[in-house]
Each structure stands twice: as C-alpha cells, then as structure tokens.
Amino acid sequence: MTTTDWIVNLSILALMVLTALGTRPITFMTYLRPLLIVVGVGLVFLRGLPVSGPDVGLELAGVGAGVVFGVLAAGVSRVSWQGAG
C-alpha cells in the first residue's frame, strides 16, 4: 500500500471511531454519515475491482466475512431508551 492509501485508511478509521464514541441521540446524520463514507471509499478503491477470474471467490469471501462480522457486531451492541426529550 502506498502512503496515500495508509492516510486514507487511517482517516476513515478515525472518523468512524470518533463518530461512534459515546451516546448521542439518533438523527438522520447518524445513518447518512457512514453511508456517505462507504460510497466515497467505494468510488476511490473499487475502480480496479476484478470481475472475472479467481479473484471473484476471494471478493465474495470478503463480503461474506463482512456480513458475518456486521451481524456479530449488531448482536453485541447495546441500545437503551432514555425516555422522551
């Protein structure tokens, strides 16, 4: 990976972690921010995505791992109700 790739990756990680820390009310931006980040990163990194050959199996394995870890993360996340206000 190039230095630019490292900077982009670490910036995305920092942004995602900093926006997820603490407790906040859920707003429209709570859902929109990660979606915009994923779309932006996808546009940058997926330009050269191979769509044929032996790499497709590896890509599908990565997607499957992402789904599994996403479900596990959702399962251990705590959501609490603090009443109206």
Side-chain angles (χ1 to χ4, degrees):
M1 277 198 302
T2 66
T3 304
T4 303
D5 291 340
W6 277 102
I7 291 170
V8 169
N9 288 338
L10 291 175
S11 299
I12 293 165
L13 176 64
L15 180 63
M16 295 300 280
V17 168
L18 291 174
T19 57
L21 288 176
T23 57
R24 300 185 179 87
I26 295 176
T27 64
F28 180 69
M29 283 305 293
T30 304
Y31 297 105
L32 186 61
R33 184 181 299 116
L35 183 64
L36 291 175
I37 292 170
V38 168
V39 168
V41 171
L43 290 173
V44 171
F45 284 106
L46 296 179
R47 290 184 192 267
L49 184 69
V51 292
S52 65
D55 293 336
V56 174
L58 180 61
E59 296 293 334
L60 292 176
V63 169
V67 168
V68 168
F69 285 120
V71 169
L72 288 173
V76 297
S77 295
R78 231 175 350 146
V79 177
S80 61
W81 178 263
Q82 296 183 351

